[in-house]
Amino acid sequence: MSSHRPGAGLLCLISCLTACTPADTDESVSCPPSNRAAVDASEGAQQVVTLPGRFAYHDVDGNLWVVGGDGSGRYRLTDPPENAFDFDADWAPDGRRLVYRRDFKGAGGSVERSEVRVVGIDCRDALVAPGSFPAWSPDGRWIALTGENGIVSFRPDGAEET
């Protein structure tokens, strides 16, 4: 027998959020380790739950968006070309840029190629390199990704492959 849990929608929403930074600062912050407390608090009572920081997510059309943890300040960062999808965003430690993956669909809807890109909160977007699964180094000076020859790292401008 299944039971309806009022917090189930919140769990779905939080699982779609990829990363967060503080809303009013440039310092990075860890996302809450668990949303269990928010779900437990909503059991049996109608409550509004807000989260600290700023979140990046992708929509069904493959656009990347940023929104405050309280739902304010939502804006679109990317507008991928036709047959492309932006996702897998990761905030830079300074909270001013995101690294993300763009997949291009080929015939039959399969992925033809993937590339890693960086977009600033000012929406300036640049190619880093072909690849997948991007992540920032803790100091924000490098981006690691899975490339044709395994795991490689690049500077955010695409220079100095290692």
Side-chain angles (χ1 to χ4, degrees):
M1 175 182 290
S2 70
S3 63
H4 175 67
R5 302 204 50 173
L10 177 64
L11 285 174
C12 180
L13 170 67
I14 290 174
S15 71
C16 293
L17 301 173
T18 59
C20 67
T21 63
D24 298 324
T25 69
D26 291 329
E27 297 175 12
S28 62
V29 65
S30 297
C31 290
S34 168
N35 61 350
R36 186 74 237 159
V39 172
D40 289 342
S42 68
E43 300 282 338
Q46 187 70 348
Q47 294 183 357
V48 175
V49 176
T50 61
L51 301 170
R54 184 175 50 188
F55 295 85
Y57 68 95
H58 69 268
D59 65 17
V60 297
D61 295 322
N63 301 293
L64 289 181
W65 292 79
V66 171
V67 65
D70 64 356
S72 67
R74 181 176 179 254
Y75 64 97
R76 187 169 63 183
L77 285 176
T78 67
D79 184 17
E82 189 173 334
N83 294 321
F85 194 88
D86 296 343
F87 66 107
D88 201 14
D90 185 39
W91 283 103
D94 67 8
R96 296 173 190 233
R97 298 169 292 171
L98 290 134
V99 64
Y100 69 96
R101 174 177 167 181
R102 177 173 282 169
D103 280 354
F104 293 88
K105 294 179 184 166
S110 62
V111 175
E112 181 177 283
R113 67 185 168 94
S114 297
E115 60 188 30
V116 171
R117 304 181 67 85
V118 171
V119 63
I121 58 173
D122 59 1
C123 301
R124 287 189 286 179
D125 193 351
L127 174 66
V128 175
S132 303
F133 309 109
W136 288 96
S137 65
D139 64 6
R141 296 176 54 204
W142 295 92
I143 295 170
L145 57 95
T146 302
E148 192 173 294
N149 298 319
I151 297 174
V152 294
S153 61
F154 288 88
R155 295 288 188 180
D157 64 2
E160 297 185 50
E161 176 181 357
T162 59

